[in-house]
Amino acid sequence: MKKNATVNSTFKFFLLSRATRSVSLIFVTLSLPLYLFALNYGIISIGIIYFVIMTFNALLAILLGAIGDRVGYKKALIIGEVFPIVALAMLAISTNFFVIIFAAVIGGIAGVAGGMRGVFSPGSTALIASNWQDQKERIKKVAEMNYVGSGFAIIGSLLLYSRSFLIGSAGTIGSFRLLFALSAFLVLVSMFSLFFVEEVNRPEKTTKIMKTESAKYSLRMMVANFFNGVSLGLALPLLPLWFELKFAVPISMIGIIYTMSYIATAMGSYFTAKNAYRAKFSILFIASSTRTLQGIMLMVIAFSPLFFISSAFFITRSFIAGLGSPSRSVMNMKGVNSQDYGTAFSFIGLSNRLSQTSTGITGYLMDISLPVPIILGGLLQTIGGFIYFKVLSPKKNRPYK
């Protein structure tokens, strides 16, 4: 009982970690394509660089997940923070092409710049699954993590906006590098916060990889998430650059739009946290329907003729993402054995991360026609929502109804 009380009381340090991490990684995720473009790298080259980053990040997640099952998810989270700290420090001190690419790869500095970008790292969902067994309590904790992360993501996007005030004294490239240094410090704070987080005693690992039941469920989740991963990879990692190229708006304006989107995501997650025990729909329905709606919003964004219309639908999509993300995180937990959380969640995430390497062709598609990757991404995510529901609908012979 005392251990459980300590776990609950130290959750605030976990939230602090997610908050500072979100500020840092949101700024860097938004900035990297713009930074590379400012260094005169072409759109096609940026897409290829993102392919390499996401591939490495997927493999690292598998390794950290397996480590977490054996030594604890808290330790895996701490180890995982070392990579972005080193990477951001390298970005802050050098403009050499090879240094930048190496740093971006080992730091996993790419992906979707959504409100939950800095919240999830290998071991975060597993830690919550391990520390809390009640399904609705898990939804509540994930939602709290999401709205704290999304709320602080606002500061990350404001850092992008503030860069315009630094250009006069530090220059276009120097202003990015100063903020990369600040981002490295924030991830360092995140890492030290994790030392104060308590974790329940882990069950002994009895298999080399994972139990059969966990493997079967993980495979279903990987299939359910594949289309979504491809869609996100096509549409979102280069979206800040897409806004700049399509509507010819300044980077500071893009920062403002992302700030508003993070407010919307935080509001969606806050609503879910407050209503976790009063939800009238199944978590599977919420998880799949919100994913479908996000895909529809992407297609509307692509066809919108004006920046403010496109931005309004992007912000709406972010609110929907905040509503649905906690349910999808808890769906990941339903059919996994407690000794396999880290490995299973890493494999589930693998389908998302590897499928997001579709970003590698986004540059080519944008070079042909700017709206194409956003339209394709939206269509695939809409289809993916239906597939998610179909694949994960409970049947009598499945243990995770």
Side-chain angles (χ1 to χ4, degrees):
M1 194 73 174
K2 184 177 179 182
K3 180 72 171 179
N4 290 337
T6 306
V7 165
N8 282 312
S9 66
T10 61
F11 186 63
K12 60 180 178 288
F13 291 106
F14 182 70
L15 293 179
L16 174 61
S17 167
R18 302 302 90 180
T20 53
R21 193 175 195 274
S22 287
V23 175
S24 173
L25 292 195
I26 284 297
F27 166 72
V28 179
T29 306
L30 286 171
S31 296
L32 186 61
L34 301 170
Y35 180 58
L36 293 174
F37 195 68
L39 289 171
N40 297 317
Y41 298 117
I43 298 173
I44 294 174
S45 298
I46 294 172
I48 294 171
I49 291 168
Y50 268 57
F51 171 82
V52 178
I53 294 170
M54 290 179 177
T55 302
F56 177 84
N57 198 33
L59 298 175
L60 179 63
I62 292 291
L63 175 63
L64 292 175
I67 290 172
D69 284 340
R70 287 162 175 79
V71 303
Y73 304 124
K74 169 183 168 178
K75 291 179 181 177
L77 283 164
I78 292 170
I79 295 170
E81 298 293 62
V82 173
F83 292 90
I85 291 171
V86 172
L88 289 169
M90 292 172 70
L91 286 176
I93 63 176
S94 177
T95 56
N96 178 272
F97 171 79
F98 296 104
V99 173
I100 291 173
I101 302 309
F102 181 75
V105 169
I106 67 166
I109 305 169
V112 178
M116 280 85 72
R117 171 65 180 88
V119 165
F120 293 104
S121 56
S124 56
T125 305
L127 181 71
I128 290 176
S130 180
N131 279 357
W132 291 277
Q133 300 302 311
D134 180 73
Q135 178 173 292
K136 292 186 176 180
E137 185 65 22
R138 286 172 170 176
I139 292 176
K140 186 173 183 293
K141 293 298 182 187
V142 172
E144 288 177 355
M145 176 178 72
N146 285 358
Y147 74 68
V148 167
S150 300
F152 278 85
I154 295 166
I155 302 175
S157 59
L158 288 175
L159 285 181
L160 181 61
Y161 176 75
S162 71
R163 192 192 70 86
S164 60
F165 298 102
L166 298 174
I167 293 176
S169 57
T172 299
I173 303 304
S175 58
F176 277 114
R177 293 171 64 187
L178 282 173
L179 293 172
F180 287 149
L182 174 61
S183 298
F185 172 75
L186 289 170
V187 182
L188 189 64
V189 173
S190 171
M191 185 181 72
F192 280 111
S193 299
L194 291 169
F195 282 98
F196 298 97
V197 175
E198 285 292 335
E199 182 179 1
V200 299
N201 295 327
R202 299 279 312 120
E204 183 180 351
K205 185 77 170 174
T206 59
T207 59
K208 289 185 178 180
I209 302 178
M210 65 178 115
K211 287 180 172 290
T212 302
E213 65 191 77
S214 300
K216 288 181 177 179
Y217 187 74
S218 298
L219 181 60
R220 290 186 182 279
M221 288 300 307
M222 291 173 74
V223 172
N225 287 330
F226 177 78
F227 276 84
N228 186 68
V230 174
S231 73
L232 296 182
L234 284 171
L236 296 188
L238 300 187
L239 191 61
L241 181 58
W242 184 84
F243 275 127
E244 181 184 12
L245 295 175
K246 181 175 174 61
F247 297 108
V249 293
I251 291 176
S252 58
M253 180 60 69
I254 296 171
I256 291 173
I257 294 306
Y258 271 87
T259 298
M260 296 173 69
S261 79
Y262 298 147
I263 293 172
T265 303
M267 289 172 62
S269 293
Y270 182 79
F271 179 86
T272 298
K274 291 300 181 183
N275 293 278
Y277 289 94
R278 297 194 296 269
K280 296 180 180 180
F281 300 102
S282 70
I283 63 170
L284 176 58
F285 177 80
I286 295 171
S288 60
S289 61
T290 52
R291 177 167 285 180
T292 298
L293 286 172
Q294 286 176 258
I296 293 171
M297 290 294 104
L298 272 177
M299 288 187 283
V300 175
I301 290 167
F303 286 111
S304 298
L306 299 174
F307 178 66
F308 80 90
I309 297 175
S310 188
S311 300
F313 281 104
F314 177 59
I315 293 165
T316 302
R317 183 185 181 278
S318 298
F319 177 78
I320 296 169
L323 287 176
S325 179
S327 294
R328 285 190 290 274
S329 293
V330 172
M331 281 300 300
N332 288 348
M333 307 173 189
K334 287 177 71 67
V336 177
N337 187 279
S338 60
Q339 67 174 258
D340 299 325
Y341 286 143
T343 305
F345 295 164
S346 293
F347 272 102
I348 291 169
L350 182 66
S351 65
N352 254 326
R353 291 185 177 92
L354 286 182
S355 55
Q356 283 183 37
T357 57
S358 57
T359 300
I361 65 170
T362 299
Y364 289 98
L365 295 176
M366 287 175 65
D367 195 48
I368 296 170
S369 176
L370 281 175
V372 169
I374 314 301
I375 295 169
L376 287 178
L379 179 62
L380 288 174
Q381 189 169 44
T382 302
I383 295 171
F386 290 104
I387 292 174
Y388 187 93
F389 187 85
K390 180 67 176 177
V391 171
L392 298 177
S393 292
K395 295 181 180 178
K396 290 183 179 179
N397 61 337
R398 295 182 190 167
Y400 50 87
K401 293 187 291 184

